[in-house]
Amino acid sequence: MGNPLVGVAYHWLGGLASASFYVPYRGVRRWSWEIFWLTGGLFSWLFAPWLFAGVMTNDLLGVIAASPPATILWCVAFGVLWGFGGLTYGLTMRYLGLSLGMAVVLGLSTVFGTLIPPIFAGDLSAKLFDTASGNVILGGLFVTLAGIVVVALAGAWKDASLPAEQKAATIAEFAFRKGLAVAIFSGVMSSCFAFGLAAGEPLKALSAAAGTGPLWTGLPTLCLVMFGGLLTNATWCAILIIRNRSAGQWIGRFGPAPGAAATPNEGRHSLPTNFLLCALGGTLWYFQFFFYTMGESQMGRLGFSSWTLHMASIIIFGTLWGFALREWRDASTRVRATVWAGVALLVFATVIIGYGNSLAS
């Protein structure tokens, strides 16, 4: 038997990791987007998943080899689709900033990622509508969406009230319309990760049969889903690297930054820091799902509600990072009060969903 309240705590840790992953990338200097995104992504989608699954589970390779081919195929395929969401997620942060970008992307991802898996399995009514615990969780989903709307509304107000030069000073590449289009696409594609986890249920059973503890049985599935994400992201980054001839940046071969003269060793001096920051950002990105699988293991038969908890937690901590990075410094008192109201709704939603899961346990 799991403990849903402990599960909520794990989801909060995952949300903190996800909301924090892009912060180290902000310190990367003189690397093109495709270079730092692929460098960090190798830690996110390849190194970290296999390392932690290999350490924390039993017979990882044997479990994957024993899995039905259809299970492996669907996990990787949904990972490829999710990869498009992750790819454009980074672009969303560039164009909208942490607070507004996360609200739009994760709002759409919340709806699709929470509701589609039980609809596909044919048990949505049994899980959400026919039981008291399901009704409570459904109420928590609506509160989550309300919180997302409030946060997004605050972001829109902030955008409308600030002159262009102030937006650019806070978010260097701010572009509301472009960012909104990218965010909508990212949100829909990002929900495919939840589908990939649902497709990996046979893997969890095999891992448990191999003697893996309940907290870690979801880790082998992450290896496959995130490998699918690697295929998408690596392909696009490779295209950009060839187009922009930016591969030399990995060894310090690039021209001066716009408007500044570079010393001969400037690029090389920044390389160790860039690699470390990308490794940190990429590993944080992975840890969101590391803690997600731990949280889901505690939610019992209503584990699909974990996606809502995950999304709410990311927005909570993403908004806090937005304040810490002074993205809201020029916003009016009304706007700041609105965004805090949205955060309060999201915190309340996590409590509601945790309570609903406890009723079913």
Side-chain angles (χ1 to χ4, degrees):
M1 295 294 290
N3 185 330
L5 296 181
V6 173
V8 170
Y10 285 137
H11 284 304
W12 276 51
L13 289 174
L16 175 60
S18 178
S20 304
F21 93 95
Y22 202 76
V23 176
Y25 289 146
R26 294 167 66 100
V28 174
R29 297 289 179 264
R30 307 179 63 75
W31 272 6
S32 301
W33 178 87
E34 63 270 17
I35 296 297
F36 76 71
W37 189 251
L38 182 56
T39 303
L42 289 173
F43 287 88
S44 302
W45 312 308
L46 187 62
F47 302 150
W50 287 92
L51 173 62
F52 284 97
V55 171
M56 306 305 296
T57 70
N58 292 334
D59 192 21
L60 173 63
L61 296 180
V63 165
I64 293 178
S67 300
T71 296
I72 296 176
L73 176 62
W74 280 115
C75 287
V76 174
F78 281 124
V80 169
L81 294 176
W82 164 75
F84 286 106
L87 186 66
T88 48
Y89 187 69
L91 293 175
T92 302
M93 300 302 103
R94 292 170 64 187
Y95 297 140
L96 295 183
L98 283 168
S99 300
L100 181 56
M102 285 185 179
V104 177
V105 171
L106 302 184
L108 291 169
S109 184
T110 297
V111 175
F112 285 97
T114 300
L115 297 182
I116 297 300
I119 290 174
F120 183 79
D123 55 7
L124 177 68
S125 179
K127 287 184 174 179
L128 277 183
F129 302 124
D130 298 341
T131 63
S133 58
N135 290 334
V136 171
I137 289 174
L138 185 62
L141 174 60
F142 282 121
V143 174
T144 300
L145 294 177
I148 291 170
V149 169
V150 171
V151 172
L153 181 62
W157 285 348
K158 181 188 72 168
D159 169 63
S161 64
L162 296 180
E165 59 272 13
Q166 284 185 314
K167 296 172 189 175
T170 302
I171 305 169
E173 299 179 72
F174 187 89
F176 182 75
R177 292 184 179 179
K178 182 190 295 185
L180 185 62
V182 172
I184 291 172
F185 178 82
S186 178
V188 174
M189 290 294 102
S190 293
S191 66
C192 290
F193 200 96
F195 309 160
L197 295 179
E201 286 297 321
L203 266 174
K204 293 176 65 176
L206 288 170
S207 187
T212 300
L215 280 179
W216 318 115
T217 55
L219 297 184
T221 302
L222 290 185
C223 294
L224 298 179
V225 178
M226 301 192 88
F227 178 74
L230 171 64
L231 295 178
T232 304
N233 283 267
T235 299
W236 178 241
C237 287
I239 292 172
L240 292 180
I241 289 170
I242 294 172
R243 178 188 301 170
N244 299 330
R245 300 180 179 179
S246 52
Q249 294 177 14
W250 272 312
I251 56 174
R253 293 178 180 173
F254 39 75
T263 62
N265 293 321
E266 180 180 350
R268 296 187 181 277
H269 285 322
S270 68
L271 286 180
T273 300
N274 282 357
F275 279 112
L276 287 173
L277 288 172
C278 288
L280 175 59
T283 304
L284 283 173
W285 176 259
Y286 165 74
F287 268 129
Q288 66 171 307
F289 297 115
F290 178 83
F291 288 114
Y292 178 92
T293 58
M294 294 173 66
E296 186 183 36
S297 73
Q298 300 297 304
M299 308 311 285
R301 67 182 184 87
L302 300 178
F304 71 94
S305 64
S306 289
W307 194 251
T308 304
L309 288 170
H310 185 60
M311 297 296 105
S313 299
I314 294 172
I315 298 174
I316 290 168
F317 289 107
T319 303
L320 294 178
W321 269 117
F323 275 95
L325 296 172
R326 306 189 71 185
E327 291 183 0
W328 299 87
R329 62 182 175 183
D330 295 314
S332 68
T333 301
R334 182 190 70 159
V335 171
R336 289 196 296 269
T338 301
V339 75
W340 284 118
V343 170
L345 283 172
L346 292 170
V347 172
F348 183 50
T350 65
V351 175
I352 293 174
I353 295 171
Y355 175 67
N357 277 276
S358 69
L359 292 178
S361 61

